[in-house]
Amino acid sequence: YISTAFTAKITSLLSFVFVFVPVTIIIGTTIPTLMYLATARESARRVGGRDPWQGILAVALTAIVYLVSATPIIVYLISRKFVAPDPTGPFEFTLYRIAVFMTLLNVMSNFYIYALTIRSFRTFLHLKICKICSFVPVSLRSSRGFPGVQFI
């Protein structure tokens, strides 16, 4: 038998450890990273280097998507103490599902953020896809095998 007071304390502790600590770390590390990348960009410009905003944009978008996706679970964990438990109600049913979906959305979005913002990642993907396609027989690489697709 576990008392409800003990369960509430454990739930609060786990919420703090698994939600608030990561958000604080993301915010705490993103700001210095952005400042470092801006300084590196200025240094590269001074020596004649061409340093696009790829790194800054990737870090900023990743942090923003993380914070947006973490907000529903934070709201859920904080407000569930103040809402009467009803497993079929909109709070327990809908908000919880939205919170879990947003967390998964964060994980999936990282690939697209990197692919859209980092040129070397796109080059790496292109090389890997070409390597995989090289195993496909030439007869299947024609437009008949893959309608509308042309291989390099």
Side-chain angles (χ1 to χ4, degrees):
Y1 174 76
I2 299 175
S3 70
T4 56
F6 179 74
T7 304
K9 287 180 182 179
I10 291 295
T11 303
S12 297
L13 178 66
L14 291 176
S15 297
F16 178 77
V17 169
F18 291 113
V19 175
F20 298 113
V21 170
V23 168
T24 304
I25 290 171
I26 291 291
I27 292 171
T29 57
T30 298
I31 293 170
T33 302
L34 289 173
M35 291 171 42
Y36 172 75
L37 288 171
T39 304
R41 183 174 189 273
E42 292 302 319
S43 297
R45 276 188 170 178
R46 275 187 255 137
V47 295
R50 190 179 72 102
D51 185 36
W53 286 88
Q54 295 175 5
I56 294 172
L57 188 60
V59 170
L61 283 175
T62 304
I64 290 168
V65 168
Y66 176 79
L67 293 175
V68 167
S69 68
T71 301
I73 197 76
I74 292 170
V75 169
Y76 173 78
L77 291 173
I78 291 172
S79 59
R80 78 175 175 183
K81 295 177 185 178
F82 305 108
V83 177
D86 179 16
T88 60
F91 177 77
E92 288 289 332
F93 191 73
T94 307
L95 184 60
Y96 179 74
R97 286 180 180 219
I98 290 171
V100 170
F101 172 73
M102 292 297 285
T103 304
L104 294 174
L105 190 65
N106 172 52
V107 173
M108 293 183 296
S109 68
N110 288 335
F111 170 80
Y112 297 104
I113 290 171
Y114 299 153
L116 290 172
T117 59
I118 301 174
R119 184 177 298 128
S120 61
F121 186 70
R122 288 192 301 268
T123 303
F124 169 78
L125 287 175
H126 178 34
L127 292 173
K128 289 297 180 184
I129 290 170
C130 287
K131 186 177 181 180
I132 291 169
C133 290
S134 69
F135 294 115
V136 176
V138 176
S139 61
L140 292 177
R141 284 191 252 167
S142 68
S143 62
R144 291 182 194 154
F146 296 100
V149 177
Q150 295 179 346
F151 289 93
I152 299 172

